[in-house]
Amino acid sequence: MAKKLQTVFFIDDDMMSNLNGKRIVIKTNLAETVFTAESAIEALDLLQHKFIPSGNLPELIFLDINMPEITGWDFIEHFKLLGVEKGKTKIILLSSSDDEADREKALKIPEVSGYKIKPL
């Protein structure tokens, strides 16, 4: 049996995708705590002002690519600048895009651990 994660974080501008993901994590008992953010800006704020200061970073982030203001790609660039220890948080892109170019781009980014098509 896999180790239960402390925290999973869903970042998606679609509230229903976040709720669906949260429901799955709770039902499968994958993590103690599930957080959601409906924008990359909100997620970065939570990381900077809640998770990093407390030392309790999410072990797993499910990240949408296509979001307004800051895309998932942009979020990853900002995330790199936060100084999070490499390997501390895994990012899985969870997108409605089945474009092979997106998958290939994602898997070339060291911080990205996987690419899944919605729904989870």
Side-chain angles (χ1 to χ4, degrees):
M1 179 176 206
K3 176 187 154 225
K4 187 173 186 177
L5 302 177
Q6 184 61 41
T7 305
V8 172
F9 193 15
F10 286 90
I11 306 168
D12 195 321
D13 60 315
D14 177 37
M15 183 178 63
M16 291 310 296
S17 290
N18 282 339
L19 290 174
N20 181 53
K22 185 174 183 173
R23 187 177 312 121
I24 291 169
V25 169
I26 291 168
K27 190 172 185 172
T28 60
N29 206 27
L30 176 67
E32 291 290 329
T33 309
V34 183
F35 286 90
T36 63
E38 291 184 29
S39 75
I41 293 171
E42 179 187 355
L44 289 166
D45 185 63
L46 280 168
L47 284 164
Q48 289 177 304
H49 297 105
K50 180 180 178 72
F51 294 121
I52 290 174
S54 71
N56 294 320
L57 287 165
E59 291 146 297
L60 180 59
I61 294 175
F62 286 99
L63 175 65
D64 186 24
I65 294 174
N66 299 310
M67 294 183 284
E69 298 173 5
I70 296 180
T71 67
W73 304 120
D74 296 330
F75 171 87
I76 293 168
E77 293 307 312
H78 289 282
F79 182 80
K80 290 178 189 179
L81 299 174
L82 293 176
V84 174
E85 179 184 337
K86 289 194 186 302
K88 182 95 174 152
T89 299
K90 294 182 186 281
I91 298 174
I92 296 177
L93 291 174
L94 183 60
S95 178
S96 57
S97 172
D98 62 356
D99 185 345
E100 190 58 34
D102 282 338
R103 180 184 302 278
E104 288 174 12
K105 179 179 179 179
L107 297 179
K108 289 179 183 173
I109 300 171
E111 290 76 13
V112 175
S113 298
Y115 187 97
K116 303 290 181 194
I117 306 274
K118 290 182 191 177
L120 182 61

